[in-house]
Amino acid sequence: MIDQRHLPHALVVEDLDTVESVFTAIREMHVRGAPLIGAAAACGAYLATTDTTTPEGVDASVIRAVGYLKEARPTAVNLAWAADQVRDAVLQANGFEAKIDAARNAANRIIEDELDRCRLIGEMGLQIIEAAAARTNRPLNILTHCNAGWLACIDYGTATAPIYLGHDRGLKLHVWVDETRPRNQGARLTAWELGAHGVPHTVITDNAGGHLMQRGEIDFVLVGTDRTTRQGHVVNKIGTYLKALAAADNDIPFYVALPSSSIDWSVGDPSVVPIEERDPDEVHYTTGSASGGGTASVRVTPPGSSAANYAFDVTPANLVTAFITERGICPATESGLRSLFPESENR
Amino acid sequence: MIDQRHLPHALVVEDLDTVESVFTAIREMHVRGAPLIGAAAACGAYLATTDTTTPEGVDASVIRAVGYLKEARPTAVNLAWAADQVRDAVLQANGFEAKIDAARNAANRIIEDELDRCRLIGEMGLQIIEAAAARTNRPLNILTHCNAGWLACIDYGTATAPIYLGHDRGLKLHVWVDETRPRNQGARLTAWELGAHGVPHTVITDNAGGHLMQRGEIDFVLVGTDRTTRQGHVVNKIGTYLKALAAADNDIPFYVALPSSSIDWSVGDPSVVPIEERDPDEVHYTTGSASGGGTASVRVTPPGSSAANYAFDVTPANLVTAFITERGICPATESGLRSLFPESENR
């Protein structure tokens, strides 16, 4: 995996070959992004099969690993969803080799399916970009928050998939990138991705988006999600809600790129979704490239001040213009989601 | 003056004894905050009187200095207001010594009046804090953005004046401090001020306030302003507008501490107020205390990415619950402001 903590200052690839190393990589955010931590957890569950020699041992090891991996981070639903799939595949298979094959196949299928979902979100979202581009004769200005790019998703990304596809097809696009404090996934990761792909972009502080909307400098907002409830409430990186409010106040469309793996059909009311609180040092300190080379951290706050670090917030469904899923675009309502995913009625 | 760029990591006091040094201190934000840059500009205009020997020389020097100082920063109205007062006092005085005295007296009067205004805002705002405290039996949670403390205002502060007064009178208060990217005036300055005064506080990212409001963790918002139009539209640090939207969405009062020196009676429509754009490096880099001692800057963004740095935004009057002025509390409307400042009808 790419250890994303070091981007954009260094490209560090890390081998993860134990359940514990996968757990640490997820918790400490070497890997992050809802689809990616799902895929990583699935691979972690598969790795648990390799340290045992009996069918019963495989079952016990995978059950234990899945319970453990699900504790790494609480908010994104993909993590539990993916780990449970590997566990269920193992439990349903018979025999030692078959269980190991089932785990490997389940993990690989999650990766392949996530790739397909992102690619299809790109095609579905391209309709929105093309329609918006047809209404203007200047480059389209899209605001995004955090990183819902290929780094978060194996490839394509969710929110970035339509952007890359539109750019590749010659549409003139410019992306406003929220820096996304405290971990700066926008300034570090989305900016790096877009730059590598040649997509024009400008990094702004998280404070600036409302002002840009008031001035007509944003055509629409496009973000990802860590968990969306069946009623259409969107749990995403802290600060997403503020941008949704500003979009509504300025009559600007607010879209959420939503692979079905991020839908939590079991939850309606978003207040039951656990909101991760992370180390306050992520607020106190900022890490970046140092003038003398390498990276360094600086402390901004006074020594005696405390900080709080909430990682996600909830954007109510009524602030979301539409979801872009791998099966098409739908309103941010339960009936909208069920119309695209009728099999969800069984959940 | 305190060179605020170094806080909270070092307390550096800078002597400003030329017009040029005052200009640089304002432009480069050694001093910042609407009331303080007004006072600094007034002192700068006075300094212009000291390098000439004739009444005509004083007039010319002050006129030139005032024009120059007003270019240092465009958004806060106090700067031009204060500098013009010194110029007008000089032009109305007769004789060399009288002109110098007039400049000194005008600058000192601006300082004294600003102190009085802040002190009175504290007393007026205390009513709001006491009323809110009477409705709850836990510490009051107040959110503030940027620094509208004594560092911005010579003493007391505007938004902080009621907070300090309430704290001193034994009311239980806790302040959520927006870090206020890109220059981190909240994390660096407001946190330092509140800590020095013993006021409980917690620094949060600018992204977090909406989430805290949704969870009932904020009783009201209290901010300052760099310029408020006569219609009640509030130009303040970038990101203020997003907090005002969230406050309205969660039925939380949003107050603006407004010394009359920050009211621009000449402007109704806020779109004509110049919004300062500062160096993009303020977004690319973050400065703080380094682990080895001293301060350092780190770059967060990739080398090839550009950034934009808008310093202020406009909060529409309809999102403001009330203004706290030195003469009392009023609705955020032209009639509300004129009722407290009837002499403004002549402007």
Side-chain angles (χ1 to χ4, degrees):
Chain A
M1 322 285 296
I2 296 174
D3 183 346
Q4 300 186 27
R5 296 174 304 165
H6 303 285
L7 286 172
H9 318 298
L11 182 64
V12 175
V13 175
E14 182 181 19
D15 282 328
L16 303 178
D17 52 10
T18 63
V19 178
E20 289 70 24
S21 67
V22 173
F23 178 89
T24 300
I26 295 172
R27 169 163 284 203
E28 304 299 328
M29 297 177 67
H30 311 192
V31 297
R32 30 65 53 203
L36 182 61
I37 66 176
C43 295
Y46 160 66
L47 287 172
T49 66
T50 60
D51 61 358
T52 180
T53 55
T54 65
E56 298 73 23
V58 173
D59 284 358
S61 180
V62 169
I63 288 171
R64 195 169 52 238
V66 165
Y68 171 62
L69 288 164
K70 285 158 75 169
E71 297 297 310
R73 294 191 72 195
T75 301
V77 72
N78 307 59
L79 200 165
W81 171 87
D84 284 347
Q85 281 197 37
V86 176
R87 182 199 59 203
D88 293 349
V90 166
L91 295 182
Q92 281 159 27
N94 289 310
F96 179 72
E97 292 293 344
K99 284 179 182 291
I100 291 176
D101 287 349
R104 190 193 306 108
N105 291 341
N108 281 333
R109 192 173 60 245
I110 286 166
I111 292 170
E112 293 300 323
D113 286 354
E114 212 62 87
L115 277 172
D116 277 347
R117 279 189 281 268
C118 289
R119 186 178 51 74
L120 288 165
I121 284 172
E123 291 180 14
M124 302 301 168
L126 184 63
Q127 302 166 31
I128 287 171
I129 292 184
E130 286 176 334
R135 288 192 297 270
T136 178
N137 55 8
R138 56 163 176 74
L140 270 188
N141 285 305
I142 304 168
L143 175 72
T144 193
H145 190 68
C146 198
N147 173 263
W150 66 257
L151 281 166
C153 307
I154 305 160
D155 204 357
Y156 306 108
T158 55
T160 56
I163 293 170
Y164 290 136
L165 197 55
H167 175 81
D168 292 345
R169 301 225 176 142
L171 292 170
K172 298 277 181 240
L173 308 174
H174 166 261
V175 182
W176 294 105
V177 178
D178 275 355
E179 62 179 358
T180 319
R181 285 279 295 150
R183 291 185 66 99
N184 293 315
Q185 292 96 330
R188 293 192 301 112
L189 306 179
T190 303
W192 180 78
E193 271 196 27
L194 293 172
H197 204 98
V199 180
H201 64 282
T202 306
V203 178
I204 52 175
T205 64
D206 302 311
N207 283 322
H211 174 66
L212 290 171
M213 292 186 207
Q214 287 176 316
R215 300 227 295 201
E217 304 268 4
I218 293 173
D219 293 301
F220 61 86
V221 184
L222 178 52
V223 298
T225 174
D226 293 85
R227 185 187 310 213
T228 288
T229 77
R230 68 169 181 272
Q231 294 176 346
H233 305 297
V234 176
V235 185
N236 192 43
K237 181 55 54 194
I238 189 85
T240 303
Y241 166 54
L242 295 172
K243 296 302 142 60
L245 285 169
D249 196 47
N250 292 281
D251 291 322
I252 291 168
F254 184 93
Y255 299 109
V256 177
L258 173 64
S260 59
S261 55
S262 297
I263 305 172
D264 188 345
W265 298 103
S266 74
V267 169
D269 174 3
S271 70
V272 304
V273 176
I275 299 295
E276 180 177 9
E277 289 186 51
R278 296 185 59 83
D279 190 333
D281 277 353
E282 294 183 354
V283 178
H284 289 301
Y285 292 87
T286 294
T287 302
S289 56
S291 59
T295 60
S297 293
V298 295
R299 179 170 174 128
V300 175
T301 53
S305 292
S306 58
N309 185 10
Y310 302 91
F312 301 94
D313 64 18
V314 178
T315 298
N318 68 319
L319 296 176
V320 178
T321 305
F323 290 132
I324 307 171
T325 82
E326 70 267 24
R327 292 195 191 159
I329 294 160
C330 74
T333 60
E334 181 161 354
S335 61
L337 286 171
R338 297 243 192 241
S339 71
L340 292 180
F341 300 95
E343 71 275 26
S344 68
E345 298 288 353
N346 302 326
R347 298 203 214 176
Chain B
M1 322 286 297
I2 297 174
D3 183 346
Q4 301 186 28
R5 295 174 304 166
H6 303 286
L7 286 173
H9 317 298
L11 181 63
V12 176
V13 174
E14 182 181 22
D15 283 326
L16 303 178
D17 52 10
T18 63
V19 178
E20 290 70 25
S21 66
V22 172
F23 178 90
T24 300
I26 295 172
R27 169 163 284 201
E28 304 298 330
M29 295 176 68
H30 311 193
V31 297
R32 29 67 52 202
L36 182 60
I37 66 176
C43 294
Y46 162 66
L47 287 171
T49 65
T50 61
D51 61 357
T52 178
T53 54
T54 65
E56 298 73 24
V58 173
D59 285 357
S61 180
V62 169
I63 288 170
R64 193 167 56 237
V66 165
Y68 171 63
L69 289 164
K70 286 159 76 168
E71 297 297 311
R73 295 190 69 196
T75 302
V77 72
N78 307 58
L79 200 164
W81 171 87
D84 284 348
Q85 282 196 37
V86 176
R87 182 198 59 203
D88 294 348
V90 166
L91 296 182
Q92 281 159 26
N94 289 310
F96 179 71
E97 292 293 342
K99 284 180 182 290
I100 291 176
D101 287 348
R104 189 193 308 107
N105 292 341
N108 282 332
R109 193 173 57 246
I110 286 165
I111 292 170
E112 294 299 322
D113 287 353
E114 212 63 87
L115 276 172
D116 277 346
R117 279 189 282 269
C118 289
R119 186 176 52 73
L120 288 165
I121 284 172
E123 292 179 14
M124 303 300 169
L126 184 63
Q127 303 165 32
I128 287 171
I129 292 184
E130 287 176 332
R135 288 192 297 269
T136 178
N137 54 9
R138 57 164 176 74
L140 271 188
N141 286 304
I142 304 168
L143 174 73
T144 193
H145 190 70
C146 198
N147 174 264
W150 66 256
L151 282 167
C153 307
I154 305 161
D155 204 355
Y156 306 107
T158 55
T160 56
I163 293 170
Y164 289 136
L165 196 55
H167 175 80
D168 292 346
R169 302 223 177 146
L171 293 170
K172 299 280 182 233
L173 308 173
H174 167 261
V175 182
W176 294 105
V177 179
D178 275 355
E179 62 180 358
T180 317
R181 286 277 296 147
R183 291 186 66 99
N184 293 314
Q185 292 96 330
R188 292 192 302 109
L189 305 178
T190 303
W192 181 78
E193 271 196 29
L194 293 172
H197 205 97
V199 180
H201 63 281
T202 306
V203 178
I204 52 175
T205 63
D206 302 310
N207 283 322
H211 175 66
L212 290 170
M213 292 186 207
Q214 288 176 315
R215 302 228 297 200
E217 304 267 7
I218 293 173
D219 293 301
F220 60 87
V221 184
L222 178 51
V223 298
T225 173
D226 293 85
R227 186 188 308 213
T228 288
T229 77
R230 68 169 182 271
Q231 294 176 346
H233 305 296
V234 175
V235 185
N236 192 42
K237 181 57 50 191
I238 190 86
T240 303
Y241 166 54
L242 295 172
K243 295 303 142 59
L245 286 169
D249 197 46
N250 292 280
D251 290 322
I252 291 168
F254 184 93
Y255 299 108
V256 177
L258 172 65
S260 60
S261 55
S262 297
I263 305 171
D264 188 345
W265 297 102
S266 74
V267 168
D269 173 3
S271 71
V272 303
V273 176
I275 300 295
E276 181 178 7
E277 289 186 50
R278 296 186 58 83
D279 190 334
D281 277 352
E282 294 183 353
V283 178
H284 289 300
Y285 292 87
T286 294
T287 301
S289 56
S291 59
T295 60
S297 293
V298 295
R299 181 171 174 128
V300 174
T301 52
S305 292
S306 58
N309 185 12
Y310 302 91
F312 302 94
D313 64 18
V314 178
T315 298
N318 67 321
L319 296 176
V320 178
T321 306
F323 291 131
I324 306 171
T325 81
E326 70 268 23
R327 292 195 191 161
I329 295 161
C330 74
T333 60
E334 181 160 354
S335 61
L337 287 172
R338 296 237 192 246
S339 71
L340 291 180
F341 300 96
E343 71 274 26
S344 68
E345 298 289 353
N346 302 327
R347 298 203 213 174

